[in-house]
Amino acid sequence: MVKSTFINLPPAKKDLIQQALLNEFGTYPLQEAQVARIVKDAGIARGTFYKYFIDLKDAYQYLYLCAMAELHVPIQRTSAYKPRLIYNMVVDFIKQTQCSKYVNLIRIHILYNESMVNHPFPSALLSQLSAQNWSAMVLSHGAIRMIFENPQQEKVILERFRSGLELLEKGAN
């Protein structure tokens, strides 16, 4: 967990370090990331990095959570299944991500880091989702992954995703 020494930094200093993190984690998978490049880019001492973060993974998780807070809108916990809303949320997430400063971070996260960073779904959330909404969540994340793996096929993937969501709706009737 990011340390309070980082949280309490003046905004300009925090922004400088966050940009250095973004440069590193938007360029290299977590396994290849280096504290040395981050501290050089941020203009801080190596020991200072460890006053702010436990390790590279901690710094990565902090930055990834910042990106998700800015880009990701969680689906409402409702029993009603709304395929059009889910589809639009995924399309919006992809568009926002592609136009954001986090695009490379998210791409590398999806392609390389996702399995290395533990982000479990809360049990309460899973138990509250209907089978349709759970299936749509899994399908949504799969479609997003496929689009980042094959950006030239985005249109086809989104069409198949939309069709899949519609099939889920028909299955409940």
Side-chain angles (χ1 to χ4, degrees), residues 23-151:
N23 292 344
E24 185 69 11
F25 297 129
T27 305
Y28 302 97
L30 189 53
Q31 286 184 314
E32 297 173 19
Q34 294 179 4
V35 172
R37 286 191 295 254
I38 294 169
V39 299
K40 181 179 179 185
D41 194 16
I44 61 173
R46 186 177 187 91
T48 303
F49 176 88
Y50 292 104
K51 287 184 180 182
Y52 300 152
F53 307 101
I54 296 167
D55 55 18
L56 271 172
K57 188 174 179 181
D58 184 43
Y60 177 83
Q61 287 180 309
Y62 165 77
L63 186 64
Y64 180 75
L65 291 175
C66 288
M68 287 297 99
E70 189 174 312
L71 298 171
H72 189 272
V73 178
I75 190 163
Q76 299 282 328
R77 294 180 192 179
T78 176
S79 59
Y81 177 67
K82 300 176 182 173
R84 189 170 299 140
L85 173 66
I86 295 167
Y87 176 83
N88 290 336
M89 288 175 69
V90 168
V91 170
D92 289 346
F93 174 79
I94 291 166
K95 285 180 182 176
Q96 287 179 1
T97 300
Q98 290 170 338
C99 297
S100 82
K101 65 182 179 180
Y102 297 112
V103 65
N104 290 328
L105 172 74
I106 301 301
R107 184 181 63 74
I108 287 177
H109 177 80
I110 289 170
L111 299 179
Y112 303 104
N113 296 338
E114 199 167 42
S115 64
M116 295 177 58
V117 181
N118 190 15
H119 292 291
F121 288 103
S123 300
L125 173 63
L126 291 176
S127 64
Q128 291 173 1
L129 290 174
S130 67
Q132 281 176 309
N133 283 324
W134 179 85
S135 299
M137 177 185 69
V138 172
L139 190 59
S140 298
H141 286 95
I144 291 166
R145 171 179 271 288
M146 289 177 72
I147 288 167
F148 275 93
E149 289 173 338
N150 305 290

